[in-house]
Amino acid sequence: MFAIILLLVLIVRSNEAVQATKPNVLFIVIDDLGWNDTSYQGSDIPTPTIDRFAKEGIRLQQYYVQRVCSPTRSAIMAGRYPYHMGLARTVITNGHPFALPLNQTTMADQLKKGGYSTHCVGKWDLGMHKWDYTPTHRGFDSFYGYYDAAEDYFRHAPGRFLDFRNDTKPVTDKNGTYSTFLFTEAVEQAIEKHDMDKGPFFIYAAYQSIHGPLEAPQEYIDQCQSIPYDNRRMICAMLKAADEGIQNITMLLKEKNLLDDTIIIFTTDNGGQTGLGSSNWPLRGNKATVFEGGVRGTGFVWGSKLPKLNYDNNHIIHVSDWLPTVVEGIAGLTLDRNKWALDGYNVWPTITANSETSRKELLINLDPPRPGFIGQAAIRIGDWKLITGQPNCSFAPAKVGDKCPDGWVHLDGSIEPPPHTPSLTWLFNITADPNERNNVADQYPEVVKRLKDRIEFYNATHIEQLDPPLDPRSNPENFGGVWTPWLD
């Protein structure tokens, strides 16, 4: 009997030791953050906290996201290309009955099984027509935020009706309080309440900033008066509030002796919306385009115990890589790749040691032709990037020009238009020409063919892209004026 008891004690202590070696993960998303919106990237907007962790950490300089928010968030959560889930085309907004499919196991699901407590704060944007598609049914222990793609920062409503939840309960007493403050406080509360004896935490902190509408408390606007452009000044104010929030969170982690045991992942969800004052300069294009300004993501990783720090990582990394990287690389868990079909790679050795990556190519987007739309595809293999079809705003072809430029947008908002490309085929050597100024498709037809063949390879596993119309049964007036899952 003594031997059995001793064995059980050793097993428990072994499990506790394993738990202790797993770091916490703080995964921060800044919405619509442009390539040139943080001062460590050369921006005119001071972001001292973001700068500190970026400069101390590993800056991902060849990191790609999707061109709009829902596709990127689906790739984060599921580790798959959005086109494999029917989510490559458009943004999931309230009232439209589609979502991250239930046959996709999320990052939170995987980490929860591995002993992590899991918390989702801020923007969800992955579907809400049934409760099963909402965060606390997708692996998160808690949720504090909103379901839609955008809403008022103070009223917490996209239009007339409230969209703000604490787990599944509507939050009705925060009208007038800036969402950045609320989301920072929610992250702080999750940290304060966490019991490290029960394992590490995973906090997905998806700030509303700096997505439109452009809103910020006056005290932050006053700090940005040196910026001469109105929209840019508002972006500055919104970023200052978010940067301060990140400072408060990391200071709390330090006070609780948790910072050194936490890995911070920082990312945008797509390129900046230049029409609202964001900047992707000197990259070409805008949010919703497949030029670099729409899909080259600002991102970094920080951890005080990482073996190699303070450097620019120039290996190709895609947003779908986060699930296997966090679950396998950081948490040390096992993914059954025979059971879970993934497009992402575990790039933790690439990030931490600057070693070669298994990823040699990435599919930037794939949305085949349909009535009224000529189709869109973009792929990068090594130095080469190919774009075919419509390069911008495939989900809303009418939104071109100032709203979705495919040229170069200067800091003052002026657009430098690109040369006309009647063939609708662009080939760029991204290493030599990162700003996509020289279309060399005519000079390298064999490269064009090779990359088109790879697009066709991916197209063989393409499924129908979802984009259902608004369901009138979702009207919040049927649910007390609150956006609520309506098909349960």
Side-chain angles (χ1 to χ4, degrees):
M1 176 63 74
F2 175 77
I4 293 174
I5 294 173
L6 179 61
L7 179 62
L8 290 174
V9 169
L10 290 173
I11 290 172
V12 168
R13 288 182 176 176
S14 175
N15 287 338
E16 288 176 348
V18 170
Q19 288 279 36
T21 63
K22 295 178 181 178
N24 306 305
V25 179
L26 174 60
F27 197 114
I28 300 171
V29 183
I30 300 295
D31 202 336
D32 283 6
L33 185 70
W35 184 254
N36 190 29
D37 284 340
T38 56
S39 43
Y40 86 88
Q41 292 277 75
S43 172
D44 55 339
I45 295 173
T47 50
T49 304
I50 293 170
D51 288 5
R52 176 206 154 186
F53 286 99
K55 289 177 179 178
E56 292 178 2
I58 301 158
R59 299 170 293 278
L60 309 178
Q61 297 298 83
Q62 300 286 322
Y63 166 55
Y64 285 81
V65 292
Q66 300 301 126
R67 58 193 176 73
V68 285
C69 44
S70 298
T72 288
R73 291 158 201 268
S74 71
I76 290 172
M77 284 296 152
R80 304 206 70 196
Y81 288 134
Y83 88 96
H84 268 147
M85 300 179 285
L87 300 176
R89 178 170 299 166
T90 191
V91 176
I92 301 171
T93 53
N94 288 358
H96 296 261
F98 73 119
L100 178 67
L102 294 178
N103 63 358
Q104 302 298 321
T105 300
T106 69
M107 184 188 295
D109 286 320
Q110 300 282 5
L111 292 173
K112 189 173 182 178
K113 291 176 186 175
Y116 278 74
S117 67
T118 55
H119 307 279
C120 180
V121 176
K123 176 174 172 175
W124 178 237
D125 198 27
L126 287 174
M128 50 77 69
H129 59 291
K130 292 185 177 182
W131 285 112
D132 281 350
Y133 293 96
T134 60
T136 52
H137 294 259
R138 303 307 302 264
F140 286 102
D141 296 321
S142 70
F143 171 61
Y144 188 83
Y146 62 106
Y147 296 139
D148 210 347
E151 65 178 18
D152 189 282
Y153 283 71
F154 292 95
R155 294 186 299 106
H156 316 299
R160 293 190 296 136
F161 301 112
L162 182 72
D163 179 10
F164 201 11
R165 299 266 172 176
N166 186 354
D167 294 334
T168 59
K169 297 178 181 179
V171 177
T172 59
D173 62 346
K174 299 301 181 183
N175 185 23
T177 304
Y178 194 52
S179 71
T180 300
F181 300 161
L182 295 172
F183 297 149
T184 296
E185 290 170 5
V187 173
E188 291 173 326
Q189 288 175 14
I191 295 167
E192 290 278 11
K193 293 177 181 178
H194 182 71
D195 183 355
M196 288 301 298
D197 291 335
K198 295 182 179 179
F201 62 72
F202 166 59
I203 300 176
Y204 176 67
Y207 276 100
Q208 183 174 356
S209 298
I210 53 177
H211 196 290
L214 300 183
E215 296 176 320
Q218 188 61 46
E219 63 185 286
Y220 296 95
I221 300 172
D222 290 343
Q223 295 175 39
C224 296
Q225 292 306 307
S226 62
I227 294 179
Y229 315 111
D230 291 344
N231 284 354
R232 186 76 175 157
R233 191 178 307 121
M234 289 299 298
I235 292 290
C236 169
M238 296 161 79
L239 262 178
K240 276 187 170 291
D243 189 83
E244 181 182 276
I246 296 169
Q247 179 187 42
N248 293 343
I249 292 165
T250 52
M251 286 177 63
L252 176 62
L253 287 170
K254 185 174 182 179
E255 289 168 8
K256 295 181 72 67
N257 295 317
L258 294 174
L259 186 60
D260 288 338
D261 296 318
T262 300
I263 301 295
I264 298 174
I265 298 170
F266 178 95
T267 180
T268 183
D269 60 344
N270 44 247
Q273 177 58 276
T274 56
L276 292 180
S278 187
S279 175
N280 303 309
W281 180 260
L283 300 181
R284 179 175 179 176
N286 187 76
K287 171 185 177 179
T289 77
V290 289
F291 290 109
E292 294 291 279
V295 295
R296 181 80 74 89
T298 299
F300 64 82
V301 175
W302 181 92
S304 67
K305 297 178 180 179
L306 297 182
K308 184 177 176 62
L309 289 168
N310 187 21
Y311 81 96
D312 289 338
N313 184 294
N314 285 295
H315 296 287
I316 295 175
I317 295 172
H318 184 251
V319 67
S320 65
D321 296 333
W322 286 126
L323 184 145
T325 298
V326 171
V327 174
E328 294 180 321
I330 297 176
L333 305 173
T334 300
L335 287 170
D336 184 350
R337 290 176 182 267
N338 293 320
K339 183 177 181 181
W340 311 116
L342 297 176
D343 297 305
Y345 292 82
N346 175 6
V347 294
W348 194 233
T350 302
I351 291 172
T352 56
N354 203 23
S355 59
E356 281 298 318
T357 175
S358 298
R359 178 177 287 285
K360 305 303 179 185
E361 66 181 41
L362 66 90
L363 187 70
I364 295 169
N365 199 45
L366 177 57
D367 192 1
R370 60 184 185 270
F373 175 58
I374 61 175
Q376 178 188 84
I379 191 170
R380 180 170 173 186
I381 302 178
D383 295 334
W384 296 106
K385 176 180 175 183
L386 179 72
I387 300 171
T388 63
Q390 180 165 319
N392 57 351
C393 289
S394 69
F395 66 96
K399 290 185 176 180
V400 294
D402 291 355
K403 292 184 179 178
C404 195
D406 57 4
W408 298 267
V409 183
H410 295 257
L411 272 178
D412 62 0
S414 63
I415 299 172
E416 180 185 341
H420 181 52
T421 306
S423 68
L424 296 181
T425 300
W426 294 260
L427 179 69
F428 302 104
N429 183 320
I430 292 298
T431 302
D433 179 26
N435 303 326
E436 298 172 303
R437 289 186 173 272
N438 301 301
N439 181 5
V440 294
D442 291 341
Q443 292 98 297
Y444 297 94
E446 73 285 357
V447 177
V448 171
K449 183 181 185 306
R450 177 162 61 90
L451 270 62
K452 280 186 174 180
D453 287 346
R454 290 302 294 169
I455 289 172
E456 288 307 312
F457 167 81
Y458 286 110
N459 199 34
T461 56
H462 186 272
I463 66 173
E464 181 182 358
Q465 300 305 292
L466 304 173
D467 189 11
L470 181 70
D471 186 343
R473 294 173 293 177
S474 67
N475 189 337
E477 291 181 338
N478 299 327
F479 303 95
V482 179
W483 279 104
T484 301
W486 70 95
L487 292 181
D488 284 314

